Amino acid sequence: MSTLLAIEVSPRGDFSTSRKLTTHFIDRWKAAHPGGALVVRDLMKTKPPFVDFAWIGGAFTPREQHSPEIAAAIKISDELIAELQAADHILIGTPMFNFSIPAVLKAYIDQIVRVGVTVSADNVGLLTGKKATVILATGGDFSPGSPVEKYNQASGYLRQVLAWIGITDVEIILAGRRLAGGMGETAVDQFGDAVTLAVAA
């Protein structure tokens, strides 16, 4: 049975381009994988905490030495990593904020990049054999060849950090506001075919 983990990031709800396109992706994925399992992790509903001193203690000391505070801090990371480990396909729907990713997505990434769990001590990614699709909603046109293409820090960072934990099969769909509309009203019309192809790939 295939499992899709969908990570929603946008705070814009029904007015979000990325959420409209992730919904389209999920609908097509369900049709292509009858009986498949869907897990939705909405970072606006359950915001991952930032890494703190207790988390560091949990990540770098044996579990038998964990205090209740440390155990509670690392438990969230354990849960998020378990979702990733169980998934065959990871879908990330996110806006671009100031050329990069929102802080809440960075907080999520910091929770799931862990030495000895998702990446080895000698820097080998451990989450292999998975595919990721990133739907990146942007206010401008950052497509290849555009005048501001080089300012797109989000795509490169997400490719790099996913590869770091072993996920190298990554497709990124750039959904610019000029085509998607200010509230995503034409997002599916303009980018739906690319999303459908990503499901089939």
Side-chain angles (χ1 to χ4, degrees):
M1 179 180 71
S2 296
T3 299
L4 173 67
L5 171 61
I7 302 165
E8 297 279 19
V9 182
S10 175
R12 300 184 70 200
D14 293 340
F15 304 107
S16 164
T17 292
S18 62
R19 286 180 184 267
K20 286 182 171 66
L21 292 174
T22 54
T23 296
H24 185 74
F25 185 104
I26 289 168
D27 289 343
R28 296 300 183 273
W29 186 89
K30 285 181 176 178
H33 299 85
L38 169 66
V39 177
V40 177
R41 172 62 64 170
D42 192 328
L43 302 186
M44 286 294 100
K45 294 180 178 178
T46 53
K47 296 182 180 180
F50 292 114
V51 166
D52 59 12
F53 188 67
W55 188 96
I56 294 170
F60 294 100
T61 60
R63 289 189 183 272
E64 59 270 19
Q65 297 179 16
H66 289 181
S67 67
E69 179 188 10
I70 288 175
I74 207 66
K75 181 176 183 292
I76 298 168
S77 175
D78 289 340
E79 292 172 354
L80 296 176
I81 289 172
E83 289 178 348
L84 275 173
Q85 290 171 330
D88 302 291
H89 198 145
I90 296 96
L91 171 66
I92 301 173
T94 181
M96 177 189 287
F97 281 1
N98 300 316
F99 311 120
S100 189
I101 61 173
V104 71
L105 180 55
K106 180 59 166 63
Y108 171 87
I109 290 169
D110 289 343
Q111 290 287 338
I112 58 93
V113 177
R114 270 174 57 193
V115 174
V117 185
T118 57
V119 61
S120 72
D122 54 350
N123 302 328
V124 176
L126 301 177
L127 299 184
T128 57
K130 302 179 186 298
K131 177 176 175 58
T133 300
V134 178
I135 297 173
L136 181 60
T138 65
D141 179 10
F142 293 87
S143 61
S146 76
V148 294
E149 175 190 1
K150 65 182 180 181
Y151 296 124
N152 174 8
Q153 305 299 312
S155 293
Y157 171 72
L158 289 171
R159 283 191 189 279
Q160 180 179 5
V161 76
L162 288 169
W164 186 251
I165 60 174
I167 304 171
T168 56
D169 186 357
V170 179
E171 179 171 358
I172 296 178
I173 299 170
L174 290 174
R177 183 169 61 183
R178 183 176 64 82
L179 295 178
M183 294 183 288
E185 59 269 23
T186 56
V188 173
D189 291 339
Q190 294 293 330
F191 300 102
D193 287 348
V195 169
T196 299
L197 288 173
V199 173

